[in-house]
Amino acid sequence: MKSTYFPHKKDVPSRQWHLIDAQGQVLGRLATRAATLLRGKNKPTFTPYLDDGDFVVVINAAQVKLTGNKLTQKTAYSHSMYPGGLKLVPYSRLMAENPERVIEKAVSSMLTKSKLRAQMLTRLKVYRDAIHPHTAQQPQAYALV
């Protein structure tokens, strides 16, 4: 008789730290790789109902590329849930004021739409420049090919 192994929260291996340089990278491709690392889908112990992903540090967020006319045509939506509470911010303004938010929104939309998403996003660290405070954790450079 065969039995299936179901891992538990205590069986989650230690989390690694990955460093992704966003300079010259396309936003969508960068976000998919970061979401894969955050979710833990690159590990052999991946389980959909467990949060066993790694930490991801993204640097040079201000130098990420948007293809096509997305910089001028794409807008970020947010709603306060009150009547007339819709806020539309064009990505050109968002990239100038807060490029970290652009990467966070892209990665967030590529994660699972469950309670695990908030836990995974706490392990995403995005910085505008190449300077980050996580050198003590010794993040390994993750090559985007």
Side-chain angles (χ1 to χ4, degrees):
M1 186 170 155
K2 295 182 180 181
S3 63
T4 303
Y5 171 69
F6 294 106
H8 297 284
K9 193 181 274 189
K10 61 180 169 56
D11 299 332
V12 173
S14 63
R15 300 183 192 277
Q16 297 176 351
W17 284 75
H18 300 281
L19 179 70
I20 297 178
D21 189 3
Q23 184 174 5
Q25 298 294 326
V26 178
L27 176 64
R29 304 215 179 231
L30 171 86
T32 55
R33 303 275 167 59
T36 301
L37 291 171
L38 285 172
R39 187 134 190 241
K41 290 190 86 168
N42 57 335
K43 296 182 177 183
T45 59
F46 170 70
T47 310
Y49 57 85
L50 280 183
D51 181 17
D52 61 348
D54 296 332
F55 287 88
V56 176
V57 179
V58 180
I59 57 174
N60 294 323
Q63 298 169 1
V64 73
K65 289 192 308 187
L66 291 160
T67 58
N69 295 327
K70 292 187 187 93
L71 193 61
T72 57
Q73 293 178 351
K74 189 172 174 129
T75 57
Y77 297 91
S78 65
H79 204 289
S80 66
M81 303 311 280
Y82 285 98
L86 179 64
K87 293 179 186 175
L88 303 173
V89 180
Y91 265 60
S92 58
R93 189 170 121 200
L94 201 57
M95 283 295 292
E97 294 174 1
N98 196 358
E100 298 92 350
R101 184 72 186 126
V102 172
I103 293 178
E104 288 169 2
K105 284 178 70 70
V107 172
S108 174
S109 64
M110 292 184 185
L111 291 173
T112 178
K113 295 358 178 229
S114 68
K115 293 180 180 181
L116 292 177
R117 177 168 35 179
Q119 292 176 14
M120 292 179 211
L121 286 176
T122 59
R123 292 193 316 275
L124 176 67
K125 318 292 184 189
V126 185
Y127 299 99
R128 178 184 300 247
D129 300 324
I131 302 167
H132 63 88
H134 304 288
T135 53
Q137 284 77 23
Q138 300 173 349
Q140 301 296 317
Y142 187 78
L144 299 175
V145 179

